[in-house]
Amino acid sequence: MNKLVLIFSMALAFISTNTLAAADAAKGKTKSATCIACHGVNGNSMVPIFPKLAGQGENYSLKQLKEFKSGKRQNGLMAGIAAGLSEQDMSDLAAYFSQQTISQNVANKSANIALGEKLYRGGDRERGIAACMACHGPKGDGIPSAGFPALASQHAAYTAKQLKEFRQVSINTQTDAKSPARDNDDRKMMTVFTKDLNNIEIEALSQYIAGLN
């Protein structure tokens, strides 16, 4: 129960510090022309390493764009694109993609879906791994108002890469390594919950999430 209280108290703090500028989804559609090459028409990427943006919450997408621009979230390609975006541009794009419908995905039948489902729905109490659905919902819809992203139907390859980059934060801290890591987790939730996941578990989780519709 204490962990759930912590999760939602952090969510409230996020809402209070990440308010949206007045957004225009119609203008966002026009501005999204530069996004199509990687993220596909209407935000439905056809390339597994590029995330689907369709249906993602405005708060989350806006936060990511801001952090790509500031350099808080490291990605050479997105840094260059976000550098030319104004606050209004980012708000418009976030609004547009939030209104699109994500294309359904399927899990790889050879993956350990049962393991992925177990971790997603129940976590692992002994290792301090919280159930993913506590923040991302039973169906992977996320909690848009709190900035918790939607995961359902996301490419498994992209999800696995993000989980490994969150995990890498702990590895770098423990070993003084300098490997690429995703350290823009203000609430330090993902870095904590992923630090003990192994590659087999990450693959199972990513495939299970891909099949959530």
Side-chain angles (χ1 to χ4, degrees):
M1 179 63 71
N2 289 337
K3 189 170 287 184
L4 287 175
V5 171
L6 176 62
I7 287 171
F8 285 104
S9 65
M10 289 177 169
L12 290 174
F14 178 92
I15 295 170
S16 66
T17 56
N18 290 274
T19 55
L20 292 170
D24 188 324
K27 290 182 179 179
K29 180 177 181 178
T30 300
K31 295 171 183 178
S32 72
T34 57
C35 310
I36 292 175
C38 294
H39 298 288
V41 177
N42 300 330
N44 281 300
S45 165
M46 298 296 289
V47 183
I49 61 169
F50 296 129
K52 296 181 183 181
L53 305 179
Q56 192 58 265
E58 283 187 65
N59 278 307
Y60 182 77
S61 292
L62 178 58
K63 179 177 185 289
Q64 302 314 303
L65 286 170
K66 286 181 177 180
E67 294 185 355
F68 282 130
K69 182 168 183 172
S70 70
K72 185 174 183 180
R73 182 173 175 183
Q74 297 289 315
N75 182 285
L77 179 60
M78 283 303 303
I81 293 171
L85 297 177
S86 67
E87 183 93 7
Q88 188 64 54
D89 292 334
M90 292 187 281
S91 294
D92 293 346
L93 285 166
Y96 169 67
F97 285 120
S98 74
Q99 295 178 13
Q100 307 312 300
T101 300
I102 194 168
S103 58
Q104 291 191 349
N105 222 338
V106 294
N108 187 328
K109 293 181 179 179
S110 66
N112 191 342
I113 302 302
L115 174 60
E117 181 176 16
K118 178 182 177 182
L119 289 168
Y120 188 88
R121 297 190 172 279
D124 187 327
R125 183 174 297 180
E126 290 185 2
R127 292 188 291 163
I129 300 172
C132 306
M133 72 175 189
C135 294
H136 300 287
K139 295 183 178 181
D141 295 329
I143 306 177
S145 60
F148 294 131
L151 303 179
S153 287
Q154 187 57 262
H155 294 303
Y158 176 77
T159 299
K161 182 175 185 292
Q162 300 312 303
L163 290 173
K164 289 177 181 178
E165 289 188 357
F166 279 126
R167 183 184 63 181
Q168 191 65 39
V169 174
S170 296
I171 296 174
N172 287 353
T173 299
Q174 294 172 34
T175 65
D176 290 327
K178 304 296 182 182
S179 299
R182 185 170 173 184
D183 197 17
N184 70 321
D185 179 14
D186 296 333
R187 293 170 280 196
K188 303 303 178 187
M189 295 166 66
M190 288 303 299
T191 52
V192 171
F193 297 152
T194 57
K195 66 184 180 66
D196 292 320
L197 290 174
N198 60 45
N199 287 350
I200 293 173
E201 291 169 330
I202 285 177
E203 177 63 17
L205 262 174
S206 301
Q207 291 293 342
Y208 177 71
I209 288 168
L212 285 173
N213 296 303

